[in-house]
Amino acid sequence: MTETLQANLISLEEKLNEIDSQISKFKQISADEGIKLNEVVEILERRKLQLLDELDAWQKTLIARHKDRPLACDYINGIFTNFTPMCGDRHIMDDHAIVAGMAYLEGRPVVIVAQDKGRTTEEKVLRNFGMPHPEGYRKALRVMKFAEKFNRPIITFIDTPGAYPGIEAEERGQALAIAENLREMSQLAVPIIAVVIGEGGSGGALALSIADRILMLKYSIYSVISPEGCASILFRDAGKAPLAAAALKLTADDLYGFAIIDQIINEPAGGSHRDPKSTIENVKAALISNLDDLCRVDKNELLNGRYKKFRNMGVFCSFDN
Amino acid sequence: MTETLQANLISLEEKLNEIDSQISKFKQISADEGIKLNEVVEILERRKLQLLDELDAWQKTLIARHKDRPLACDYINGIFTNFTPMCGDRHIMDDHAIVAGMAYLEGRPVVIVAQDKGRTTEEKVLRNFGMPHPEGYRKALRVMKFAEKFNRPIITFIDTPGAYPGIEAEERGQALAIAENLREMSQLAVPIIAVVIGEGGSGGALALSIADRILMLKYSIYSVISPEGCASILFRDAGKAPLAAAALKLTADDLYGFAIIDQIINEPAGGSHRDPKSTIENVKAALISNLDDLCRVDKNELLNGRYKKFRNMGVFCSFDN
Amino acid sequence: MGWFSKLLVPDREKSKVPQGLWEKCPGCQRVIYKKDLEKNLWVCAQCGYHFKISARDRIDSLVEPGSFKEMNSNIGSLDPLEFTDTEKYCDRYKKARDKSKMNDACLTGTAMLGKNKAAIAVMDFFFMGGSMGAALGEKITLMTEFATENRLPLIIVSTSGGARMQEGIFSLMQMAKTSAALARHAKAGLMFISVLVDPTTGGVTASYSMLGDIIIAEPNALICFAGPRVIEQTIRQKLPEGFQRSEFLLKHGIIDMVVPRSEMHDKLEFILDFINSGERAVE
Amino acid sequence: MGWFSKLLVPDREKSKVPQGLWEKCPGCQRVIYKKDLEKNLWVCAQCGYHFKISARDRIDSLVEPGSFKEMNSNIGSLDPLEFTDTEKYCDRYKKARDKSKMNDACLTGTAMLGKNKAAIAVMDFFFMGGSMGAALGEKITLMTEFATENRLPLIIVSTSGGARMQEGIFSLMQMAKTSAALARHAKAGLMFISVLVDPTTGGVTASYSMLGDIIIAEPNALICFAGPRVIEQTIRQKLPEGFQRSEFLLKHGIIDMVVPRSEMHDKLEFILDFINSGERAVE
Ligand SMILES: [Zn+2]
Ligand SMILES: [Zn+2]
């Protein structure tokens, strides 16, 4: 089913590619023949942007999950220097769905905690498609407490379909592991920045997102449930995922409008996979400026600010019964 | 092999039983016939004490492991009221080798953490013969941190051949779990009393014994390694366990002499299994008096005292090289 | 999260076969006189099956009679997403309010257990499957903050199908909000007892429900993050018997104790006594 | 604990088959010119086998040349149990001292790694199998306390057959003593890096070795609480391939990284730089 729904994105990509090739063809002609075709090129560029403006929530969902979309490790390699992984939850296993360690951001020592889905089939299996087990959350928490002890800011990269739903995960306290991360992150006395780079899947994403700043790539999503899950439960038809995607208001624009996130990081037309390098540069710039802001804030103010930030999330009313 | 070595204890017990039955026979005669046999009884009583005075380290080891020796649960039931178990390490399992929970000691709310070997075959299997897995130590630590949070003193009962040596135990960080307990217990800001009631086996026992007061039953043992293990390594013959037991200086008397433990709690002649009730009363009295002492101590003093206590353990010298 | 609101229709409604005065026990299939059930706190005397009960009935069974003082009762959810599936969320919500005479899926307030005053929040599965929206999150948070400010122990009885999907990201963020409030409560050295009843799933499980100093479950309650059907779909395997039930969680070290409904009040009172009683050992 | 001192005779002695200038590699059985081995930090260039090395050689490989300032070198053990097995402990101990020109199984002091001053303790397996007695415990504790007082990061390189049984209960108590000292060091917000080399077992593993903020192992080091033979005897089963080796522990989440000897200095320097560099983010 997802495949038929994917057709949607493929046809978009085809159109974009077609326009792109036309643009370069006309540019070529323009150069070779000395004819001014600027107007044609402009029209095509405008058509392209129009197509992208019209992207609906479901198309953005597909872009957020695009197989060529840059993954956490691409950002880590592209943005930081001397990344040195730290492994293990000190109990059961090193969960490869979580990548964590020390690194420098333009000379600033920071601690990174990231979800990575894996690129190749092998990597995907190793990283369990970016779905952490409880041990992944405990590894993340251990490394974040390390960051707190040594007063290093924390940067998290969010990209997960959700916490892994499996027998062992339930047996070993998946819910508890997530809950503890939520509680502990709210009290970590160092700046925390979370960047949603792809799929922000439910509690499994939230468990690394109790941050002072939440940034989102333009075509990433962040949601209480996957559109497919929502469709099958509330719409009683998993095929209605596009409808559910729209209803859930899970795009960066939506969430920025709700003041749930703090900043949208720009992506190239059509998605970051069409130009990873520029996206990585955008993320880097956003990280630096946010980090520099946060590092100026005193510790108590930081913690109070973080508390208030999440304290104020939620829209409710008062009835006169 | 242990069986032939056990014969030692069995013959002692037979002798004791014989003397006891003679004593009661003479007492009976004395009562029935109105004949004064006090002198005979006295001689027998003296012979009995003499036999017990002569108990060597190995015999004490056998008593410490005696199948009828009261177990932690016997002390818990006999000493405390309203014992309410707390279960689980909040991750993997509830390790039944560790019994932990809330209770009252003559009206004083206390937290108990104990090793219990199990009495029946079923219980022994359930409790893994008193050999905790890493999860047992983590359960213990969780409950002890609970005690600290709510300012309740901790009483531990030590009775284990040692931490379980198994594949899963090693995989899940047995060494790490013990080490963390050692570190964390040294900092718990509530009074801690440890009572060695049977076998204090190595690191597995130490992991619950970082206490302000360490009490030992008269015929319990506490050692860096089992006599059998020591014999097979250093004496190259596991049969030399009695020799190793003596060499290791593992009896309550030895350890009191070394100032490793703070108090010896008396047991009836021949061991607590010959009169569990009186032993339980002795333990209760010792707990109350030590607890009352410790509760008068200010928190910093308590922690500094605990630190110094262990800091000073170890005999070394300075060479002039 | 949220997978459950479809799967779990409240039992009492489902089993309303013998209308009126009688109720069929889903545990042993016996038909039971309703008044007897009520007297027995809605626990089957034959098989021990724990029926789902409303938040009000639960409070009656837990605290000293008449001691519950409700707070923040008028807080309700809005519809920030203007969400519509097969029905408009605002309509669905209004129906739930009308039917339940509650404004959302929990009651909060203070109450006495023996001599101990406690802050208490009790969820209601009959209100939209105990799903967590902004109103529920706000009420739990307010009660937690009240407990912190007034140095009170906190008891939360959870039962939930998970997130209230119709509130989208706002629903998800209640996990963060409640957990942060509990962090402050814990840091103040105060006691939080989490009581889990059938079913407790999804986002509620993955936030406040699992953060108790003591975690207690009613017998045989389903307690999970991902529901059994989701897991079955993922791993394409039959799940083991008793999987994700209270006793299973006890064995796996996740919860402290399984306590039947009839003993819950006494157990809670014992714990509060234990924490409050006497002078503290070291000050 | 302690099970190992019998089982593990230092490899270099065992494999002294080609006397003098040559050494046989226990990894690939090749015979290697000793000078080459030494140049390569006693790592086989063919198969990467890490030979055991003395504490002095280890320090040379780890810290800036000439920067190591030894402390407490004259501390040695006594014989409080007057222990005798097949030999008197005091005689055995004297032989070890004479042979090693050390007073016990570790060297402690301060040293530089790049621009970072650190307290450092390095164990020596050649001294009675790196067993932990009162002298070793005292030296580790003194070094830890020195680091705490002087706000220095601490590096401990562990290798040990376990407890020094001949010191009985005093040996066991070194676990408590060192761990308590590390608790204070950690509480002061200071960094402890634990480096584990082949073999690290028993009481040393179950105390300071496992308490690092970062735990690093050399490749293929045996790291365990209970030794393989003890476990085999207990469970009467063959152990899995690679069980209790560095890579196994990495996979099981117990250690942070496996670092070959040739890169150890740089890795340690990186970590110390990371902790010390720049201004701290929030003060
Ligand atoms: Zn029934
Ligand atoms: Zn080799």
Side-chain angles (χ1 to χ4, degrees):
Chain A
M1 169 162 12
T2 315
E3 275 152 44
T4 56
L5 296 172
Q6 290 254 3
N8 195 326
L9 180 65
I10 292 165
S11 86
L12 171 77
E13 294 228 310
E14 274 167 6
K15 275 183 215 156
L16 287 175
N17 288 339
E18 199 184 305
I19 297 173
D20 275 345
S21 84
Q22 280 186 310
I23 289 173
S24 54
K25 202 168 66 190
F26 285 126
K27 277 186 178 163
Q28 193 60 45
I29 294 166
S30 170
D32 290 355
E33 316 283 329
I35 313 167
K36 296 236 167 182
L37 289 169
N38 289 3
E39 247 172 72
V40 186
V41 170
E42 247 170 55
I43 289 166
L44 287 169
E45 294 272 18
R46 226 176 299 141
R47 173 71 192 124
K48 192 169 136 186
L49 287 176
Q50 198 186 347
L51 268 174
L52 292 166
D53 269 355
E54 289 161 5
L55 282 180
D56 61 24
W58 178 244
Q59 287 172 313
K60 288 182 183 171
T61 301
L62 296 175
I63 294 176
R65 297 172 181 168
H66 196 286
K67 69 176 177 42
D68 298 327
R69 191 169 176 82
L71 299 170
C73 286
D74 299 315
Y75 291 100
I76 294 173
N77 294 329
I79 294 175
F80 304 91
T81 52
N82 283 99
F83 175 63
T84 301
M86 292 170 66
C87 295
D89 66 336
R90 296 277 154 92
H91 192 170
I92 302 286
M93 71 175 189
D94 183 39
D95 187 336
H96 295 280
I98 301 280
V99 176
M102 302 167 265
Y104 287 91
L105 172 60
E106 292 275 13
R108 298 160 187 81
V110 298
V111 163
I112 299 170
V113 177
Q115 292 164 328
D116 190 290
K117 291 177 169 178
R119 175 83 62 211
T120 63
T121 306
E122 256 185 9
E123 264 178 24
K124 282 191 170 94
V125 171
L126 179 74
R127 303 206 181 282
N128 200 31
F129 300 85
M131 294 183 283
H133 281 75
E135 291 72 28
Y137 293 109
R138 288 176 169 124
K139 168 186 176 178
L141 184 57
R142 178 178 82 82
V143 173
M144 291 191 285
K145 293 221 163 184
F146 172 91
E148 184 185 40
K149 179 173 177 187
F150 299 108
N151 219 347
R152 296 297 178 238
I154 297 164
I155 295 169
T156 71
F157 291 97
I158 310 302
D159 192 14
T160 181
Y164 185 65
I167 293 183
E168 287 86 5
E170 292 284 323
E171 281 179 349
R172 299 197 301 251
Q174 185 71 282
L176 203 154
I178 292 172
E180 284 185 340
N181 273 23
L182 302 180
R183 181 181 62 193
E184 298 303 313
M185 281 187 85
S186 77
Q187 293 273 344
L188 287 175
V190 288
I192 308 176
I193 302 174
V195 193
V196 184
I197 55 171
E199 208 175 348
S202 186
L206 185 69
L208 296 183
S209 305
I210 311 304
D212 303 301
R213 297 284 167 86
I214 307 170
L215 321 180
M216 254 180 104
L217 281 178
K218 193 171 168 185
Y219 300 126
S220 64
I221 59 169
Y222 190 7
S223 177
V224 67
I225 186 168
S226 70
E228 291 89 340
C230 179
S232 91
I233 297 171
L234 291 185
F235 296 79
R236 321 221 161 197
D237 174 2
K240 292 194 171 150
L243 224 60
L248 283 167
K249 305 247 190 320
L250 45 59
T251 70
D253 283 334
D254 292 326
L255 299 186
Y256 188 77
F258 290 147
I260 296 288
I261 65 163
D262 300 282
Q263 186 179 330
I264 298 174
I265 301 175
N266 204 25
E267 293 188 52
S272 54
H273 59 287
R274 299 180 73 88
D275 184 2
K277 227 183 132 198
S278 77
T279 314
I280 287 167
E281 282 310 312
N282 293 346
V283 172
K284 184 174 181 175
L287 283 176
I288 290 173
S289 91
N290 280 287
L291 192 59
D292 287 348
D293 283 2
L294 290 172
C295 286
R296 274 183 225 110
V297 180
D298 133 289
K299 199 189 261 187
N300 281 327
E301 206 182 309
L302 187 80
L303 286 177
N304 284 331
R306 194 183 305 152
Y307 186 80
K308 273 186 207 140
K309 180 187 184 69
F310 288 92
R311 178 67 187 86
N312 291 332
M313 287 182 185
V315 178
F316 55 90
C317 67
S318 181
F319 294 111
D320 334 305
N321 288 71
Chain B
M1 168 159 17
T2 314
E3 273 153 46
T4 56
L5 295 172
Q6 290 254 4
N8 196 325
L9 182 64
I10 292 165
S11 86
L12 170 77
E13 294 227 311
E14 274 167 5
K15 275 183 213 155
L16 287 175
N17 287 338
E18 198 184 306
I19 296 173
D20 276 345
S21 84
Q22 279 187 309
I23 289 173
S24 53
K25 201 168 68 188
F26 285 125
K27 276 185 177 164
Q28 193 61 45
I29 292 168
S30 171
D32 291 354
E33 315 283 329
I35 313 168
K36 296 235 166 183
L37 289 169
N38 288 1
E39 246 173 74
V40 185
V41 169
E42 246 171 56
I43 289 167
L44 286 169
E45 293 271 19
R46 226 176 300 141
R47 173 72 192 124
K48 192 169 140 188
L49 287 176
Q50 198 186 347
L51 268 174
L52 292 166
D53 269 354
E54 288 161 6
L55 282 180
D56 63 23
W58 178 244
Q59 286 173 314
K60 287 182 184 171
T61 302
L62 295 177
I63 294 175
R65 297 171 179 167
H66 195 286
K67 68 175 176 45
D68 298 327
R69 190 168 176 82
L71 298 170
C73 285
D74 299 315
Y75 291 101
I76 293 174
N77 294 330
I79 295 175
F80 304 91
T81 52
N82 283 99
F83 175 63
T84 300
M86 292 170 65
C87 295
D89 67 337
R90 295 277 154 93
H91 192 171
I92 302 286
M93 70 175 190
D94 184 38
D95 187 336
H96 294 281
I98 301 280
V99 176
M102 302 166 265
Y104 288 91
L105 172 60
E106 291 275 14
R108 298 162 187 80
V110 298
V111 163
I112 299 170
V113 177
Q115 292 164 328
D116 189 291
K117 292 177 169 178
R119 174 85 60 210
T120 64
T121 306
E122 257 185 9
E123 263 179 24
K124 282 190 170 94
V125 171
L126 178 75
R127 303 205 182 283
N128 200 30
F129 300 85
M131 293 182 283
H133 282 75
E135 292 71 28
Y137 293 109
R138 288 175 168 124
K139 167 185 176 179
L141 184 57
R142 177 179 83 81
V143 173
M144 290 191 286
K145 292 221 162 184
F146 171 91
E148 185 186 38
K149 180 173 176 186
F150 299 108
N151 218 347
R152 296 298 177 237
I154 298 164
I155 294 167
T156 71
F157 290 95
I158 310 303
D159 190 14
T160 180
Y164 184 66
I167 293 183
E168 288 85 6
E170 291 284 322
E171 282 178 349
R172 300 198 300 250
Q174 185 70 284
L176 204 154
I178 293 172
E180 284 185 339
N181 272 25
L182 301 181
R183 181 182 62 194
E184 298 305 312
M185 281 187 85
S186 78
Q187 293 274 344
L188 288 175
V190 288
I192 308 176
I193 303 173
V195 193
V196 184
I197 55 171
E199 208 175 349
S202 187
L206 186 68
L208 297 184
S209 305
I210 312 302
D212 303 301
R213 299 281 167 87
I214 307 169
L215 322 180
M216 256 180 103
L217 281 178
K218 192 170 170 187
Y219 300 126
S220 63
I221 60 169
Y222 190 6
S223 177
V224 68
I225 187 167
S226 71
E228 290 89 340
C230 180
S232 92
I233 299 171
L234 292 185
F235 295 78
R236 320 218 163 199
D237 175 1
K240 292 194 171 150
L243 224 59
L248 283 166
K249 305 249 188 318
L250 44 61
T251 70
D253 283 333
D254 292 325
L255 300 185
Y256 188 76
F258 289 147
I260 296 289
I261 64 163
D262 300 282
Q263 185 180 330
I264 299 174
I265 302 175
N266 204 26
E267 293 189 53
S272 55
H273 60 287
R274 299 180 73 87
D275 184 2
K277 225 182 137 202
S278 78
T279 313
I280 287 168
E281 281 310 311
N282 292 347
V283 172
K284 183 172 182 177
L287 284 176
I288 290 174
S289 92
N290 279 286
L291 191 59
D292 287 348
D293 283 1
L294 290 172
C295 286
R296 275 184 224 109
V297 181
D298 134 288
K299 200 189 262 187
N300 281 326
E301 205 182 310
L302 188 79
L303 286 177
N304 283 331
R306 194 182 307 152
Y307 186 80
K308 273 186 207 139
K309 180 187 184 70
F310 289 92
R311 179 68 187 85
N312 291 332
M313 288 183 185
V315 178
F316 54 91
C317 66
S318 181
F319 294 111
D320 334 308
N321 287 73
Chain C
M1 290 151 51
W3 296 90
F4 263 58
S5 35
K6 186 180 98 182
L7 309 175
L8 291 154
V9 177
D11 292 306
R12 207 170 334 152
E13 319 213 352
K14 213 196 292 173
S15 60
K16 245 184 193 162
V17 190
Q19 289 273 341
L21 295 173
W22 301 86
E23 196 85 30
K24 191 173 176 186
C25 171
C28 63
Q29 312 303 326
R30 279 191 185 80
V31 173
I32 315 171
Y33 189 47
K34 230 174 180 173
K35 288 248 157 117
D36 288 345
L37 253 184
E38 231 176 297
K39 256 186 246 159
N40 206 29
L41 304 173
W42 290 92
V43 174
C44 172
Q46 298 299 323
C47 74
Y49 181 86
H50 281 56
F51 285 75
K52 290 182 181 60
I53 58 176
S54 72
R56 284 198 198 283
D57 286 347
R58 171 100 44 200
I59 288 171
D60 288 345
S61 79
L62 280 184
V63 307
E64 305 317 324
S67 72
F68 179 65
K69 310 237 179 304
E70 193 175 352
M71 293 169 71
N72 307 311
S73 66
N74 52 352
I75 290 177
S77 269
L78 287 170
D79 182 15
L81 273 57
E82 297 175 6
F83 195 97
T84 300
D85 44 73
T86 55
E87 192 180 348
K88 280 185 170 179
Y89 173 47
C90 54
D91 294 344
R92 207 189 278 269
Y93 188 63
K94 188 165 185 319
K95 278 186 211 159
R97 285 181 61 217
D98 291 346
K99 196 175 140 205
S100 66
K101 314 271 183 255
M102 288 169 68
N103 285 323
D104 212 298
C106 78
L107 300 179
T108 61
T110 60
M112 300 299 292
L113 281 104
K115 294 173 192 156
N116 309 283
K117 188 175 175 184
I120 183 165
V122 177
M123 294 184 71
D124 194 310
F125 194 75
F126 297 116
F127 193 106
M128 295 190 75
S131 58
M132 176 158 65
L136 176 64
E138 182 67 19
K139 287 178 80 170
I140 298 279
T141 304
L142 282 171
M143 222 43 233
T144 305
E145 289 176 336
F146 181 86
T148 308
E149 280 152 31
N150 295 279
R151 299 201 60 76
L152 289 177
L154 173 68
I155 298 168
I156 301 180
V157 182
S158 297
T159 176
S160 173
R164 192 169 297 165
M165 286 169 278
Q166 295 94 338
E167 295 186 30
I169 198 77
F170 293 106
S171 167
L172 186 67
M173 291 303 149
Q174 303 315 306
M175 292 169 64
K177 176 167 153 175
T178 52
S179 301
L182 283 169
R184 292 188 162 194
H185 186 260
K187 220 180 167 188
L190 300 167
M191 161 68 77
F192 167 36
I193 308 175
S194 177
V195 178
L196 314 178
V197 305
D198 186 52
T200 303
T201 73
V204 164
T205 320
S207 58
Y208 52 84
S209 291
M210 281 294 160
L211 295 176
D213 294 297
I214 303 271
I215 306 180
I216 309 177
E218 278 192 350
N220 201 38
L222 178 74
I223 301 161
C224 62
F225 176 63
R229 292 213 194 169
V230 176
I231 297 175
E232 272 179 347
Q233 280 166 16
T234 309
I235 63 170
R236 301 187 187 286
Q237 237 183 290
K238 201 83 199 120
L239 298 175
E241 178 71 20
F243 182 61
Q244 298 182 323
R245 296 284 163 180
S246 309
E247 297 72 16
F248 180 90
L249 270 79
L250 184 70
K251 187 177 153 227
H252 283 281
I254 308 297
I255 64 175
D256 281 287
M257 36 190 119
V258 176
V259 174
R261 193 171 293 163
S262 58
E263 297 169 22
M264 193 64 83
H265 165 276
D266 289 359
K267 193 63 79 178
L268 294 175
E269 185 184 347
F270 170 81
I271 297 167
L272 297 180
D273 275 349
F274 182 81
I275 296 312
N276 292 331
S277 78
E279 292 164 76
R280 294 204 168 183
V282 181
E283 284 301 342
Chain D
M1 288 150 54
W3 297 89
F4 264 58
S5 33
K6 186 181 100 182
L7 309 174
L8 291 153
V9 178
D11 292 306
R12 209 173 329 152
E13 318 211 354
K14 213 196 291 169
S15 58
K16 244 184 194 162
V17 189
Q19 290 273 340
L21 295 172
W22 301 86
E23 195 85 31
K24 191 172 177 186
C25 172
C28 63
Q29 313 301 326
R30 280 190 185 80
V31 174
I32 315 170
Y33 189 48
K34 230 174 182 173
K35 288 247 158 118
D36 288 344
L37 253 184
E38 232 177 296
K39 256 186 247 161
N40 206 28
L41 303 173
W42 290 91
V43 175
C44 172
Q46 300 298 324
C47 74
Y49 181 86
H50 281 55
F51 285 75
K52 290 181 181 62
I53 58 175
S54 72
R56 285 199 197 282
D57 286 348
R58 171 100 42 200
I59 289 171
D60 288 344
S61 79
L62 281 185
V63 307
E64 306 316 324
S67 72
F68 180 65
K69 311 239 179 300
E70 193 176 352
M71 294 169 70
N72 308 311
S73 65
N74 53 352
I75 290 177
S77 269
L78 288 170
D79 182 14
L81 273 58
E82 298 174 5
F83 194 98
T84 300
D85 44 74
T86 55
E87 192 180 349
K88 279 186 172 180
Y89 172 47
C90 54
D91 293 344
R92 206 189 278 269
Y93 188 63
K94 188 163 184 322
K95 280 186 210 159
R97 286 181 60 217
D98 290 346
K99 196 176 142 204
S100 66
K101 314 270 182 255
M102 289 168 67
N103 284 324
D104 211 299
C106 79
L107 299 179
T108 62
T110 61
M112 300 299 292
L113 281 104
K115 293 173 192 154
N116 310 284
K117 188 176 176 186
I120 184 164
V122 177
M123 294 184 70
D124 195 311
F125 194 75
F126 298 116
F127 192 106
M128 294 190 76
S131 58
M132 176 158 64
L136 176 64
E138 181 68 19
K139 286 177 82 170
I140 298 280
T141 304
L142 282 171
M143 223 42 232
T144 304
E145 289 176 336
F146 181 86
T148 308
E149 280 153 30
N150 295 278
R151 298 201 60 76
L152 289 177
L154 173 67
I155 298 168
I156 302 180
V157 182
S158 296
T159 176
S160 173
R164 190 168 299 163
M165 286 169 278
Q166 295 92 338
E167 295 186 30
I169 198 77
F170 294 105
S171 167
L172 186 68
M173 291 302 148
Q174 304 315 304
M175 293 170 63
K177 176 167 155 176
T178 52
S179 301
L182 283 169
R184 292 189 162 193
H185 186 259
K187 220 180 167 188
L190 300 167
M191 160 69 75
F192 167 36
I193 309 175
S194 177
V195 178
L196 314 178
V197 304
D198 186 52
T200 303
T201 73
V204 165
T205 319
S207 57
Y208 51 85
S209 290
M210 281 294 161
L211 295 176
D213 294 297
I214 304 271
I215 306 180
I216 309 177
E218 278 192 350
N220 200 37
L222 177 74
I223 301 161
C224 61
F225 176 62
R229 293 215 194 166
V230 177
I231 297 176
E232 273 180 346
Q233 282 167 13
T234 308
I235 62 170
R236 301 187 186 287
Q237 237 184 291
K238 201 83 199 122
L239 298 175
E241 178 71 20
F243 182 62
Q244 298 181 322
R245 295 286 163 178
S246 309
E247 297 71 16
F248 179 91
L249 270 79
L250 184 71
K251 188 178 154 228
H252 282 282
I254 308 296
I255 64 176
D256 281 288
M257 34 190 122
V258 176
V259 174
R261 194 171 292 162
S262 59
E263 297 169 23
M264 193 65 82
H265 165 276
D266 289 359
K267 193 64 80 179
L268 294 175
E269 185 184 346
F270 169 82
I271 297 167
L272 296 180
D273 276 348
F274 182 81
I275 295 313
N276 292 331
S277 78
E279 293 165 75
R280 295 204 166 183
V282 179
E283 284 301 341

